[in-house]
């Protein structure tokens, strides 16, 4: 079962530029979560903070009782092994085969034999539906397959936490739908905690158990899909509905002006679409059972958790 991550009061800036501040959220163990946000809101920066590649100035990131923001190098090294990351561009080496790309972390960071590596690589390629593409170069396969290769590489260390940076970027709606299904299927099979950052509305509406949104340097709500998908918070409702009418404008600068006019929007609630189920033949997602009680309790008191 995946590991829970508690983010508390996290703030990150570069020099005088504040990227986001006071971000708090809990990623429940083994659940699928999506963090939405328009381009440039610091989604990639957030993921890099979670894996310890960037250091936030304030706040805590608790994983297994250790604060990633304040731990020793050896603790950080140990925690890093819990994570698998699918970077935004897939981050594959163009000059080596898909097989060698996926084997790379094992050859670099473990003492596994080539026979063991072959078993793991084939296993992960199978898991992401990439069997048969071993000898291709990244440039010879489609964008969707490159994402799958990046995902297979993120899986070779058997991570408890998988972070995906815009897995849909550059994909058409059909390939995006396939990738969404793959992430749900993966969750059913390995029960890892998964966080996907994206600005894709259909991914946000169909994939996650939990949903949050970064906007104007803040986290605007984070919680179970049942609550966020029916949120009357104008920013969330506008983004999920994909409307022009609302506080989000053409640019961040104009948003500040629009925000001053707050309260004048018609709040059309986006409809709740059903969450994707694992493909036939796959196990039931463990997270579904685990979260039932928690979400029922939240709905009962009508609280929108932050
Ligand atoms: N290493 C860095 N140094 C300075 N500024 C950075 C760095 N990484 C990202 N930024 C800035 O942080 C902001 C958010 O970037 P990013 O996380 O890539 O946004 P998103 O992924 O949501 O599109 C951007 O303004 C970007 O220029
Ligand atoms: Mg990004």
């Amino acid at each position: 079962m995946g590991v829970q991550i508690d983010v508390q009061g996290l703030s990150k800036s570069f020099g005088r530029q504040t990227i986001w501040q006071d971000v708090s959220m809990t990623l429940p163990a083994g659940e699928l979560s999506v963090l939405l946000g328009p381009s440039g809101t610091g989604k990639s920066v957030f993921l890099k903070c979670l894996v310890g590649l960037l250091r936030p100035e304030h706040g805590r990131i608790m994983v297994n009782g250790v604060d990633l923001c304040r731990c020793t190098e050896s603790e950080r090294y140990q925690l890093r092994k819990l994570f698998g990351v699918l970077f935004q561009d897939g981050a594959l080496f163009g000059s080596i085969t898909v097989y060698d790309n996926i084997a790379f972390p094992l050859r670099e960071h473990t003492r596994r034999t080539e026979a063991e590596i072959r078993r793991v690589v084939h296993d992960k390629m199978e898991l992401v539906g990439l069997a048969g593409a071993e000898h291709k170069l990244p440039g010879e396969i489609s964008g969707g397959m490159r994402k799958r290769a990046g995902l297979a590489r993120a899986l070779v260390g058997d991570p408890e936490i998988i972070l995906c940076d815009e897995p849909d970027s550059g994909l058409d709606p059909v390939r995006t739908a396939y990738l969404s299904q793959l992430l749900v299927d993966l969750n059913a099979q390995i029960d890892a905690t998964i966080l996907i950052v994206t600005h894709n509305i259909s991914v946000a509406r169909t994939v996650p158990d939990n949903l949050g949104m970064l906007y104007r340097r803040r986290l605007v709500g984070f919680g179970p899909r049942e609550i966020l998908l029916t949120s009357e918070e104008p920013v969330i409702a506008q983004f999920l509905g994909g409307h022009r009418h609302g506080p989000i404008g053409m640019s961040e600068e104009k948003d500040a002006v629009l925000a001053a006019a707050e309260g004048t929007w018609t709040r059309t609630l986006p409809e709740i679409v059903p969450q994707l189920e694992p493909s036939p033949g796959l196990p039931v997602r463990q997270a579904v059972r685990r979260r039932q009680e928690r979400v029922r309790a939240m709905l009962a008191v009508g609280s929108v958790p932050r």
Side-chain angles (χ1 to χ4, degrees):
M1 164 174 142
V3 166
Q4 172 170 313
I5 305 181
D6 275 307
V7 175
Q8 297 161 6
L10 211 64
S11 301
K12 177 73 197 138
S13 41
F14 291 109
R16 290 169 56 193
Q17 185 194 10
T18 301
I19 306 300
W20 29 253
Q21 53 193 339
D22 201 19
V23 171
S24 299
M25 66 169 83
T26 297
L27 303 177
E31 294 188 18
L32 283 152
S33 300
V34 160
L35 181 62
L36 275 173
S39 301
T41 43
K43 300 184 295 300
S44 295
V45 167
F46 184 73
L47 289 190
K48 285 175 188 162
C49 289
L50 289 189
V51 288
L53 288 173
L54 287 173
R55 204 178 263 265
E57 288 75 37
H58 303 285
R60 307 202 293 175
I61 303 171
M62 302 302 294
V63 181
N64 275 352
V66 177
D67 181 359
L68 253 172
C69 300
R70 263 165 219 87
C71 60
T72 63
E73 269 310 307
S74 79
E75 282 174 323
R76 187 193 303 275
Y77 183 76
Q78 289 306 319
L79 285 178
R80 185 70 185 77
K81 290 187 191 164
L82 297 175
F83 288 87
V85 186
L86 170 59
F87 289 100
Q88 190 157 355
D89 47 8
L92 302 173
F93 301 110
S95 59
I96 59 175
T97 64
V98 166
Y99 180 96
D100 288 333
N101 265 288
I102 298 169
F104 189 82
L106 295 174
R107 289 176 176 153
E108 279 296 290
H109 301 297
T110 71
R111 295 180 182 195
R112 307 257 191 119
T113 64
E114 277 302 314
E116 287 170 331
I117 289 175
R118 194 173 317 123
R119 192 182 50 72
V120 175
V121 172
H122 280 134
D123 190 34
K124 305 310 176 196
M125 288 184 77
E126 187 92 22
L127 202 55
V128 301
L130 205 59
E134 287 82 354
H135 305 298
K136 298 258 176 30
L137 291 173
E140 298 170 337
I141 58 178
S142 69
M145 285 170 82
R146 277 197 292 276
K147 302 280 182 188
R148 283 164 195 260
L151 194 55
R153 189 174 57 184
L155 292 173
V156 292
D158 292 323
E160 308 252 19
I161 305 159
I162 301 170
L163 307 177
C164 301
D165 198 349
E166 299 201 24
D168 51 278
S169 74
L171 300 188
D172 61 59
V174 174
R175 301 300 158 32
T176 299
Y178 274 108
L179 200 88
S180 295
Q181 185 67 56
L182 174 62
L183 291 168
V184 171
D185 288 354
L186 197 60
N187 180 252
Q189 290 170 89
I190 65 177
D191 197 24
T193 307
I194 302 182
L195 175 64
I196 303 159
V197 306
T198 182
H199 50 222
N200 185 296
I201 303 165
S202 81
V203 171
R205 292 171 85 184
T206 59
V207 173
D209 300 301
N210 311 291
L211 186 56
M213 181 165 162
L214 277 177
Y215 178 67
R216 297 190 74 215
R217 292 174 278 288
R218 297 272 178 188
L219 182 69
V220 208
F222 185 89
R225 70 191 303 276
E226 295 86 341
I227 294 174
L228 269 286
L229 288 177
T230 52
S231 173
E232 293 194 39
E233 157 66 48
V235 172
I236 296 172
Q238 183 191 0
F239 201 89
L240 288 172
H243 310 306
R244 204 153 41 81
H245 191 66
I248 309 174
M250 282 257 284
S251 64
E252 283 258 317
E253 296 71 43
K254 291 200 184 123
D255 289 356
V257 178
L258 283 168
E262 195 169 355
T264 61
W265 334 114
T266 44
R267 299 177 182 189
T268 36
L269 291 183
E271 58 178 317
I272 289 203
V273 292
Q275 187 176 19
L276 288 173
E277 300 270 355
S279 299
L282 291 185
V284 176
R285 293 175 52 232
Q286 298 291 307
V288 173
R289 195 170 33 81
R290 284 197 300 262
R291 77 190 282 273
Q292 240 166 27
E293 283 303 305
R294 183 171 57 86
V295 175
R296 269 204 204 113
M298 280 177 167
L299 288 171
V301 293
S303 67
V304 178
R306 301 274 336 225

